[in-house]
């Protein structure tokens, strides 16, 4: 039986085991997906050596960045974002193990929002570039920024602290037309002009996530109307306060469930390609 896994520090909240084990059962695939809690990344190699049946695994908080250094090979997405969330394991006949890492959060996000991005692009004045506000500067933000840059959006990062955007947010990946550094501002800098220039708003902070569902990012919701698309990376609860307040102003809203499902499906395809390649 093929074995897959999710490694992370605390996995009580994981969606992946249910998602993959239901898929295996439904499609009669002889495989199993388990949760592996590693209190420390130093335990990773010991775990991998002991599990000669592991053919692929996901990576979550807080090991996505450390895994980029542990992999033998990275896809362009993983290298540019600086985080790995899916790894394909290859074993040589001599027992050597080779790890290839990718990032499926970015394309997972892209697939979840492509209709809305197309709509925003259509409504952007000729000669101008569409703009997006990305709230938060952590791992989800880096994946979202990478995807939005590849889609030709100008990005403004909104953080609690002023400062320079990190290297992943400054990525120069992609064709010359998408090479632009994300600018970084604080919540206090969000004027009506900035809101007007950015019709897409992504909550990439944990604010509003269960069980703390009565909080939301501090943005001027009064500036929103039906031209805006507000995407929350959070998928639990289904309707966050950020989504409720945005929808009340007429904005189109979406939670992160589709992104989550897409990243899992893309990880599965990555493992299958690696196995057959
Ligand atoms: P993270 O690294 O813990 O935090 C992201 C950023 O949010 C931080 O860097 C910080 O940016 C900001 N932030 C943190 N606490 C805050 C607070 N109390 N108030 C305001 N801002 C705060 O989390 P992450 O891994 O990027 O994930 C963010 C969210 O996306 C989580 O809810 C996660 O579950 C979700 N997510 C969903 C998917 C999906 O597939 N749908 C994938 C990945 C993550 P500043 O310090 O710059 O303000």
């Amino acid at each position: 039986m093929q074995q897959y896994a999710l490694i992370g520090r605390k996995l009580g909240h994981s969606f992946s085991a249910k998602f993959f084990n239901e898929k295996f059962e439904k499609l009669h695939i002889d495989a199993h997906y388990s949760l592996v809690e590693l209190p420390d990344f130093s335990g990773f190699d010991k775990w991998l050596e002991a599990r000669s049946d592991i053919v692929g695994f996901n990576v979550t908080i807080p090991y996505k960045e450390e895994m980029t250094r542990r992999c033998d090979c990275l896809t362009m997405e993983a290298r540019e974002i600086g985080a790995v969330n899916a790894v394909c394991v290859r074993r040589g006949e001599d027992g050597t193990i080779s790890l290839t890492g990718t990032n499926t959060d970015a394309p997972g996000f892209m697939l979840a929002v492509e209709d809305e991005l197309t709509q925003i692009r259509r409504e952007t004045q000729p000669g101008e570039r569409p703009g997006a506000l990305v709230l938060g500067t952590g791992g989800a933000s880096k994946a979202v920024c990478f995807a939005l840059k590849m889609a030709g959006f100008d990005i403004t990062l909104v953080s609690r602290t002023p400062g320079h955007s990190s290297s992943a947010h400054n990525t120069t990946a992609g064709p010359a037309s998408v090479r632009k550094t994300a600018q970084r501002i604080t919540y206090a800098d969000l004027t009506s002009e900035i809101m007007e220039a950015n019709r897409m708003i992504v909550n990439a902070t944990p604010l509003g996530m269960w069980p703390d569902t009565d909080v939301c990012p501090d943005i001027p919701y009064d500036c929103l109307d039906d031209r805006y698309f507000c995407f929350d990376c959070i998928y639990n609860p289904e309707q966050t306060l950020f989504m409720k307040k945005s929808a009340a102003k007429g904005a189109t809203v979406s939670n992160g469930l589709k992104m989550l499902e897409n990243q899992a499906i893309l990880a599965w395809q990555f493992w299958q390609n690696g196995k057959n390649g």
Side-chain angles (χ1 to χ4, degrees):
M1 183 187 277
Q2 287 178 0
Q3 297 288 340
Y4 297 87
L6 171 66
I7 70 162
R9 187 171 286 152
K10 279 231 172 292
L11 301 174
H13 64 281
S14 171
F15 139 100
S16 303
K18 186 171 181 289
F19 177 88
F20 279 107
N21 287 324
E22 281 179 3
K23 180 186 173 84
F24 297 151
E25 203 179 319
K26 198 168 148 200
L27 300 178
H28 305 291
I29 297 170
D30 188 24
H32 187 256
Y33 190 100
S34 52
L35 299 179
V36 180
E37 288 191 350
L38 296 176
D40 202 280
F41 195 68
S42 59
F44 170 73
D45 281 311
K46 205 169 157 205
W47 167 75
L48 188 63
E49 272 164 34
R51 294 297 308 269
S52 57
D53 48 359
I54 293 281
V55 289
F57 59 91
N58 286 119
V59 186
T60 190
I61 299 168
Y63 302 133
K64 287 186 183 185
E65 290 176 3
E66 263 169 302
M67 191 55 77
T68 60
R69 294 183 282 280
R70 177 60 189 82
C71 283
D72 303 285
C73 188
L74 295 175
T75 61
M76 189 265 281
E77 285 89 346
R79 202 170 46 243
E80 294 295 340
I81 295 165
V84 158
N85 76 325
V87 178
C88 187
V89 182
R90 285 200 194 84
R91 293 169 202 277
E93 282 173 11
D94 59 353
T96 52
I97 299 175
S98 161
L99 303 180
T100 304
T102 192
N103 186 302
T104 64
D105 285 334
F109 166 75
M110 199 62 215
L111 288 172
V113 300
E114 57 190 353
D115 289 348
E116 288 83 3
L117 295 195
T118 303
Q119 181 66 22
I120 293 171
R121 268 201 225 92
R122 256 193 226 123
E123 291 168 0
T124 304
Q125 297 297 322
E128 284 184 13
R129 285 162 58 98
L133 292 180
V134 179
L135 316 177
T137 58
S141 165
K142 285 175 184 164
V144 163
C145 285
F146 176 82
L148 287 172
K149 273 185 190 165
M150 296 303 277
F153 275 61
D154 281 351
I155 296 153
T156 301
L157 284 168
V158 188
S159 170
R160 291 167 297 176
T161 51
H164 299 294
S165 38
S166 70
S167 57
H169 285 117
N170 280 323
T171 178
T172 53
S177 59
V178 305
R179 290 183 192 173
K180 191 168 187 298
T181 302
Q183 62 162 323
R184 176 166 166 161
I185 62 173
T186 66
Y187 291 90
D189 299 325
L190 283 171
T191 59
S192 51
E193 287 76 23
I194 291 178
M195 295 300 286
E196 184 62 28
N198 295 282
R199 300 282 164 71
M200 167 136 198
I201 303 175
V202 180
N203 178 27
T205 79
L207 282 176
M209 193 164 72
W210 191 86
D212 302 315
T213 54
D214 56 350
V215 290
C216 62
D218 183 19
I219 63 167
Y221 292 92
D222 280 345
C223 294
L224 304 181
D225 56 38
D226 61 3
R227 297 167 303 162
Y228 287 78
F229 174 45
C230 297
F231 181 90
D232 205 325
C233 291
I234 294 172
Y235 44 87
N236 183 14
E238 225 172 280
Q239 279 267 346
T240 61
L241 188 56
F242 166 74
M243 290 166 64
K244 285 181 194 160
K245 288 177 85 161
S246 304
K249 289 289 167 186
T252 302
V253 298
S254 176
N255 67 26
L257 186 61
K258 202 83 208 129
M259 173 181 174
L260 186 71
E261 289 172 354
N262 289 341
Q263 64 77 27
I265 292 164
L266 291 165
W268 175 251
Q269 290 169 358
F270 177 67
W271 295 327
Q272 296 313 295
N273 291 340
K275 214 170 58 191
N276 301 328

